[in-house]
């Protein structure tokens, strides 16, 4: 056990930054910047910090807001669809239903439709249940303004988030059926597990091949996925856990090529998120190799 408040709350700080930014690499940078600011405080200054957790959350939130404004300019020039950076998690994360939902791909894509301050307020209030006064200090607004922002953000997210929660056992079973069908090139197996109006979104960042726009409908998505089995003997489909849910990885030549996450409803897959941008897979690939 450590007495250093930064080390004690580091996991919290990373999660706040990741949910605000949708990028594990940028979240790590923001957490590091927060550490530098904490380390710059001398013993006397630290002693005057009455609530280190609130102080650190305030710093990481402000750093993340600054980073969001920089990233917004980059995303305006991004080639094709932009998806969050996949986060390697353990099955244990799924036991915490609220946390698993908050870091899910579906939720992160919804959070992308909020403005920076609204997103910060939503994450701090709805996910971490911080007091309005504490959030106000973090985002530089009054408590009354934060209440209004939280209300608007809550309504915005509620109108767009998946409405049906799927049990962990059902998620695992459906994703495994999908994995086997892709591995075997089983077109009918894919049609059986995909919802008729399934949407496939892929992110290659202009670096590798990926559809520039979402592909809609099982009759278009299933043949594309079934054709992957024809890539050759070096193509493998492996299960993994990403963002608190069962997911999978497509490997080529023993190296991570694509990370795939899902949205499920009624025992079928309604959304597929395929991240192929090598920049977004670098951290995930390194972590996956270490966990083998």
């Amino acid at each position: 056990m450590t007495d250093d408040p930064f080390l004690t709350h580091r996991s919290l700080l990373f999660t706040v930054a990741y949910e605000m930014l949708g990028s594990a690499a940028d979240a790590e940078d923001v957490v590091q910047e927060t550490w530098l600011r904490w380390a710059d405080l001398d013993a006397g200054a630290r002693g005057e910090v009455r609530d280190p957790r609130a102080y650190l959350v305030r710093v990481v939130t402000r750093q993340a807001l600054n980073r969001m404004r920089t990233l917004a300019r980059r995303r305006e020039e991004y080639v094709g669809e932009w998806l969050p950076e996949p986060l390697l998690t353990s099955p244990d994360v799924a036991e915490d239903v609220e946390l698993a939902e908050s870091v899910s791909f579906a939720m992160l894509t919804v959070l992308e439709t909020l403005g920076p301050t609204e997103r910060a307020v939503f994450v701090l209030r709805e996910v971490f249940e911080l007091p309005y006064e504490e959030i106000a200090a973090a985002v530089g607004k009054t408590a009354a303004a934060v209440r209004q922002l939280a209300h608007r953000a809550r309504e915005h997210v509620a109108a767009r988030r998946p409405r049906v929660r799927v049990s962990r056992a059902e998620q695992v079973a459906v994703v495994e059926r999908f994995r086997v069908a892709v591995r075997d090139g089983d077109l009918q197996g894919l049609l059986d597990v995909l919802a008729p109006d399934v949407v496939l979104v892929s992110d290659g960042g202009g670096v590798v091949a990926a559809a520039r726009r979402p592909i809609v409908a099982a009759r278009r998505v299933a043949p594309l996925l079934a054709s992957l089995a024809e890539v050759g003997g070096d193509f493998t489909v492996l299960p993994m856990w990403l963002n608190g849910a069962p997911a999978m990885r497509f490997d080529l030549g023993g190296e991570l090529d694509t990370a795939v996450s899902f949205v499920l409803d009624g025992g079928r897959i309604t959304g597929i998120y395929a991240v192929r941008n090598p920049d977004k897979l670098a951290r995930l690939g390194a972590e996956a190799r270490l966990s083998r």
Side-chain angles (χ1 to χ4, degrees), residues 4-286:
D4 188 327
F6 176 84
L7 296 178
T8 299
H9 301 300
R10 193 186 192 288
S11 178
L12 166 67
L13 300 178
F14 174 83
T15 307
V16 169
Y18 177 71
E19 293 193 20
M20 287 180 62
L21 298 167
S23 165
D26 286 305
E28 286 287 6
D29 288 345
V30 164
V31 170
Q32 182 62 23
E33 291 164 4
T34 302
W35 157 247
L36 292 174
R37 288 177 175 261
W38 177 250
D40 280 344
L41 296 178
D42 59 32
R46 287 192 188 185
E48 293 176 2
V49 177
R50 289 182 294 178
D51 186 343
R53 177 179 179 272
Y55 174 85
L56 290 166
V57 168
R58 183 163 66 248
V59 173
V60 83
T61 300
R62 289 176 178 174
Q63 294 297 321
L65 283 170
N66 290 338
R67 182 63 63 96
M68 287 173 78
R69 296 181 182 105
T70 301
L71 293 176
R73 291 191 289 272
R74 287 189 211 160
R75 289 176 191 173
E76 289 175 1
E77 303 169 356
Y78 198 79
V79 178
E81 295 289 324
W82 185 95
L83 289 175
E85 180 184 342
L87 183 67
L88 184 67
T89 54
S90 70
D92 294 341
V93 173
E95 301 291 349
D96 186 336
V97 176
E98 295 299 331
L99 177 60
E101 184 180 16
S102 72
V103 298
S104 71
F105 244 68
M107 175 58 79
L108 290 172
T109 55
V110 170
L111 293 181
E112 282 295 316
T113 64
L114 292 172
T117 305
E118 279 185 325
R119 183 168 182 168
V121 169
F122 181 87
V123 168
L124 295 177
R125 180 61 186 174
E126 298 302 312
V127 180
F128 298 104
E129 300 181 335
L130 267 59
Y132 288 112
E133 293 74 15
E134 196 171 317
I135 300 172
V139 300
K141 302 282 185 181
T142 65
V146 165
R147 287 178 184 274
Q148 291 182 337
L149 285 168
H151 177 72
R152 287 204 303 268
R154 195 180 305 117
E155 289 189 334
H156 181 96
V157 170
R160 292 163 177 81
R161 76 198 307 176
R163 290 174 171 76
V164 181
R165 277 186 178 161
V166 181
S167 71
R168 175 176 169 179
E170 183 179 357
Q171 290 180 56
V172 171
V174 172
V175 170
E176 177 60 13
R177 287 171 57 202
F178 177 92
R179 187 188 73 82
V180 171
V182 171
R183 181 197 65 192
D184 296 344
D186 181 359
L187 178 59
Q188 188 56 53
L190 284 164
L191 290 170
D192 290 342
V193 79
L194 298 176
D197 57 352
V198 64
V199 179
L200 166 63
V201 181
S202 55
D203 176 353
V207 181
V208 296
R212 297 288 181 91
R213 293 184 176 84
I215 301 173
V216 182
R219 60 183 175 80
R220 297 178 63 204
V221 174
L224 174 64
L225 293 170
S227 69
L228 295 176
E230 301 171 5
V231 170
D234 61 350
F235 173 74
T236 55
V237 188
L238 302 172
M240 67 189 315
W241 284 78
L242 296 174
N243 297 78
M248 67 186 54
R249 55 184 289 167
F250 297 162
D251 284 14
L252 279 175
E255 294 296 328
L256 176 62
D257 178 81
T258 308
V260 187
S261 296
F262 305 93
V263 179
L264 280 66
D265 186 3
R268 286 188 161 188
I269 294 170
T270 58
I272 303 172
Y273 300 109
V275 177
R276 302 201 66 229
N277 185 338
D279 293 336
K280 296 184 180 182
L281 296 179
R283 185 176 187 271
L284 177 62

